[in-house]
Amino acid sequence: MKSVVKPAQAGTLESNDIMIIVEPGANGIVLELESIVKKQYGQAISQTIIETVKSYGLTDLNVKAIDKGALDYAIRARLVTALSRAGLGPGSEG
Amino acid sequence: MINAIGRDIPEFVEGFGPVKKYLGAFNSLPEGNCYGPPIKRAAVGQSKLYHSLEDLFKSLKIESGMTFSFHHHLRNGDELVNQVLYTASRLGLKNITVSLTAAFATHAPMIEYIKNGLVTSLRTSGVYGGLALALSRGILPTPVLLHSHGGRPRSLRSGELKVDVAFIAAPSADDRGNITGVIGKSACGSLGYAFPDADYATHVVAVTDNLVPYPLIPASIGQNKVDHVVLIDSLGDPQGIVSGTTRITKDPVGLHIADTAAKVIEASGLLKNGFSFQTGAGGASLAAAHFVGQMMRAQNIKGGFALGGITGYMVDLLEEGLFGNLFDVQSFDLESVKSIARNPNHLEVSSDLYANPFNSGCLVNDLDVVILGATEIDVDFNVNVITGSDGVLMGAAGGHPDTAAGAKMTVIVTTLLRSRLPIVVDKVITATTPGETVDVLVTEYGLAVNPARADLRDRFVAAGLPVKDIQELKNLAHKMAGVPQTIAFDGPIIGLVEYRDGTIIDVVRAPNL
């Protein structure tokens, strides 16, 4: 069982960006995804988010993502920042 | 049946009839004679003036099953369509066909009039806003017919579209039916899309909110063509009719695309004295016009005419002497409205003269270059401007297919991706403009040339422009964004895309919403 200690968020609702909110969880990795390109890229976005979360060794996390057409690198960057702000890794003080 | 660009279209559509198959951009020829409206008479001393739409409806015996027509120069400020349909609904009419040259968010009340059985058929060049979404969900009992600006006057001439009552929004009118769009609180400039309606409708009704003393001079449409004049309080909201000033984009990506497009025009060899040009009002298209203007200035080139929807930007080029004439079918901003009144070489033209393929010669035939946008373009250069990447109606064919067919060089400008979605695709969801009429695609990652135009390709390579294969651009988009999951479009047909010659180039199927 590994999660974050506090909620945090990163990103914006601008076009081509994604807003990601992470919260401590207890029921595995639970992703709630809204995306303007969900039909075309929903699976790809979910996969990017879940793989990135797992790369931290996390087993429990609530993730809410509101996507406005972000590319993969932007999704990863926003998620890494949110996790960092939630107490994981560098920048956690922010 | 499969048409000339490989689209599967039905042979017969309920509520529409037999479908004419698209055979190629120039392969269907006109047949028969022009349709004619009844011969008319205005007796000496007979008044044409009404003070309410309801009086007009009762006097003309406007009834269920008729076809009403409207033009869209008041754009998102238009209230006339809503007022006419409200009146028809109050009087209990049903089964009305609406021909509206383009529908905007302001026309969302039509959704209710479709639900209550007043409006059962719609012909338009495109639909924006809430009505678009409702139509995509299939609320209309018959598919919406999507035509081009040139295709509509063709269908009026042929009698495929017979209008019982043309409601012409007239920002100024006199009581004899001389009208203009150039002055009045609802001024919109050119009334070009309404000109053919005044020629072919059984009843031609000018509706105005600014009645001026007789005679109104100069009139765009004269008293010899207008049967009735209705004075109402307001045609709409001036804020939604014309924008203040249309500005060129500041977005560096858009500017880069525009700069490349201008270099493409220079390298094409078409930029010389007498150069004729059309561009849209979109930020990148206008920016391309800006760069083309710079080149013309630097090389002392005097252009012939500029055409289309006109913006203040084109007016500046006219007044500077860089172009000899503007032909204006629709005025996009206040500057272009004012310019019609002030510049004798800024001419208001009908959609028939603008783009009808089946008259004795339309203006698009003499275009050297047109710059156009796309919501999608496929590897065969077919362009979609009607539906989004999700298949939902969201735009208008407008003059896109017409100008592409007429111009010596058609340039599509677009970013390679839009909100992650690749714009260059294997097959567009909805074909609006056939690839055989599209020559060049310009993106921020380089340009692609239709293989049929090796002549242009050679010129661009010689000029050192970043020429790529269109497949290469598509693959690059996939590399950046990933390959999108395919969406199945197997719902019922909610729209028919009519090519300018009256054949069906594609159908729109209800997306899975």
Side-chain angles (χ1 to χ4, degrees):
Chain A
M1 299 289 283
K2 189 183 173 194
S3 190
V4 294
V5 293
K6 58 178 180 181
Q9 74 172 52
T12 71
L13 298 176
E14 296 291 315
S15 196
N16 303 309
D17 200 352
I18 186 168
M19 179 179 273
I20 296 184
I21 300 156
V22 296
E23 288 172 350
N27 300 307
I29 299 165
V30 181
L31 170 64
E32 188 189 327
L33 172 68
E34 276 176 40
S35 172
I36 56 167
V37 293
K38 196 163 181 173
K39 280 181 194 158
Q40 294 92 345
Y41 289 105
Q43 286 178 16
I45 298 166
S46 301
Q47 194 182 340
T48 300
I49 291 175
I50 286 166
E51 277 176 6
T52 307
V53 169
K54 283 184 175 165
S55 74
Y56 279 75
L58 298 171
T59 55
D60 299 284
L61 187 74
N62 293 337
V63 185
K64 182 170 181 173
I66 305 163
D67 172 58
K68 301 287 180 187
L71 294 172
D72 260 350
Y73 59 80
I75 298 170
R76 274 195 294 273
R78 294 309 193 189
L79 181 55
V80 165
T81 305
L83 289 171
S84 149
R85 287 172 179 168
L88 292 174
S92 54
E93 67 282 356
Chain B
M1 56 185 173
I2 304 294
N3 70 16
I5 54 162
R7 297 280 158 162
D8 193 359
I9 55 170
E11 289 180 31
F12 186 89
V13 174
E14 206 61 52
F16 176 77
V19 169
K20 279 191 267 180
K21 184 161 90 166
Y22 171 74
L23 300 174
F26 307 102
N27 296 339
S28 292
L29 300 175
E31 290 170 0
N33 296 314
C34 294
Y35 165 78
I39 298 173
K40 298 170 180 180
R41 167 178 185 262
V44 176
Q46 181 185 327
S47 171
K48 291 182 178 179
L49 189 62
Y50 296 81
H51 289 276
S52 80
L53 287 166
E54 193 164 328
D55 287 352
L56 176 92
F57 267 68
K58 287 176 175 163
S59 170
L60 266 55
K61 300 188 169 55
I62 296 174
E63 57 192 31
S64 295
M66 284 187 163
T67 296
F68 296 172
S69 78
F70 305 91
H71 60 109
H72 74 278
H73 295 98
L74 303 190
R75 282 179 286 271
N76 204 31
D78 178 67
E79 271 301 319
L80 179 61
V81 173
N82 296 338
Q83 290 185 47
V84 168
L85 295 181
Y86 171 78
T87 306
S89 183
R90 254 171 51 100
L91 295 173
L93 272 60
K94 300 282 177 200
N95 197 23
I96 298 294
T97 294
V98 170
S99 169
L100 167 58
T101 51
F104 292 79
T106 181
H107 298 120
M110 202 188 297
I111 296 168
E112 290 312 310
Y113 300 127
I114 292 171
K115 286 182 181 164
N116 76 9
L118 170 65
V119 176
T120 49
S121 179
L122 177 63
R123 305 173 68 108
T124 183
S125 78
V127 195
Y128 302 87
L131 180 60
L133 190 60
L135 292 170
S136 293
R137 292 183 198 275
I139 58 162
L140 202 63
T142 54
V144 51
L145 185 91
L146 298 150
H147 56 67
S148 73
H149 285 333
R152 184 172 184 277
R154 180 202 51 74
S155 68
L156 282 163
R157 266 191 188 232
S158 71
E160 284 159 67
L161 169 59
K162 289 193 181 76
V163 174
D164 294 297
V165 191
F167 292 93
I168 301 179
S172 289
D174 65 30
D175 66 354
R176 292 291 186 266
N178 296 296
I179 68 172
T180 180
V182 176
I183 51 171
K185 62 186 171 190
S186 303
C188 63
S190 175
L191 297 177
Y193 300 125
F195 283 26
D197 300 59
D199 288 331
Y200 294 106
T202 302
H203 297 288
V204 178
V205 178
V207 185
T208 189
D209 55 5
N210 185 42
L211 194 68
V212 300
Y214 180 84
L216 186 161
I217 293 173
S220 298
I221 298 174
Q223 63 183 66
N224 58 327
K225 294 186 177 180
V226 175
D227 305 314
H228 312 281
V229 178
V230 184
L231 177 63
I232 61 174
D233 291 338
S234 171
L235 288 172
D237 172 14
Q239 294 290 327
I241 296 173
V242 285
S243 50
T245 313
T246 319
R247 293 185 189 283
I248 67 170
T249 185
K250 288 189 176 131
D251 168 38
V253 175
L255 286 171
H256 176 63
I257 293 171
D259 180 51
T260 308
K263 286 176 177 148
V264 158
I265 292 168
E266 186 178 37
S268 73
L270 294 165
L271 190 64
K272 51 192 182 201
N273 283 333
F275 174 66
S276 60
F277 184 51
Q278 178 166 342
T279 183
S285 303
L286 270 189
H290 171 79
F291 292 127
V292 168
Q294 280 184 343
M295 287 171 178
M296 291 171 76
R297 218 169 276 128
Q299 297 169 35
N300 202 19
I301 291 167
K302 189 174 179 331
F305 67 86
L307 176 60
I310 297 295
T311 59
Y313 202 79
M314 300 313 294
V315 171
D316 289 346
L317 297 183
L318 176 80
E319 292 184 342
E320 195 187 330
L322 289 178
F323 283 97
N325 286 88
L326 298 183
F327 290 120
D328 187 342
V329 72
Q330 177 181 13
S331 318
F332 279 121
D333 56 18
L334 212 50
E335 280 312 306
S336 48
V337 174
K338 289 183 193 158
S339 166
I340 292 181
R342 147 177 106 222
N343 289 309
N345 51 355
H346 179 167
L347 294 169
E348 191 179 351
V349 294
S350 74
S351 54
D352 187 271
L353 174 56
Y354 170 45
N356 180 359
F358 292 168
N359 64 19
S360 306
C362 58
L363 295 169
V364 297
N365 287 355
D366 285 299
L367 269 178
D368 286 324
V369 175
V370 64
I371 298 181
L372 298 166
T375 61
E376 292 180 308
I377 178 168
D378 68 25
V379 292
D380 297 320
F381 288 82
N382 299 310
V383 177
N384 175 13
V385 288
I386 288 177
T387 57
S389 302
D390 52 3
V392 177
L393 294 170
M394 51 70 67
H400 201 289
D402 304 304
T403 51
K408 291 191 183 72
M409 181 171 76
T410 299
V411 181
I412 304 291
V413 290
T414 177
T415 52
L416 192 55
L417 302 176
R418 200 173 294 141
S419 297
R420 188 166 183 160
L421 295 167
I423 302 304
V424 185
V425 296
D426 281 318
K427 197 176 170 201
V428 287
I429 295 168
T430 311
T432 314
T433 297
E436 71 168 293
T437 62
V438 174
D439 302 303
V440 189
L441 163 68
V442 177
T443 74
E444 72 275 41
Y445 292 98
L447 58 107
V449 185
N450 189 323
R453 296 301 304 271
D455 58 322
L456 287 177
R457 190 180 196 285
D458 292 346
R459 282 172 170 275
F460 300 155
V461 171
L465 291 169
V467 179
K468 303 217 160 83
D469 188 275
I470 195 161
Q471 291 280 358
E472 206 179 330
L473 288 176
K474 185 201 76 182
N475 293 339
L476 182 61
H478 285 176
K479 198 176 156 197
M480 289 191 286
V483 180
Q485 291 163 247
T486 31
I487 306 176
F489 290 99
D490 47 11
I493 293 172
I494 58 102
L496 296 170
V497 185
E498 185 189 73
Y499 191 59
R500 60 200 297 257
D501 62 9
T503 61
I504 299 300
I505 191 167
D506 208 350
V507 296
V508 183
R509 289 184 178 276
N512 192 9
L513 291 170

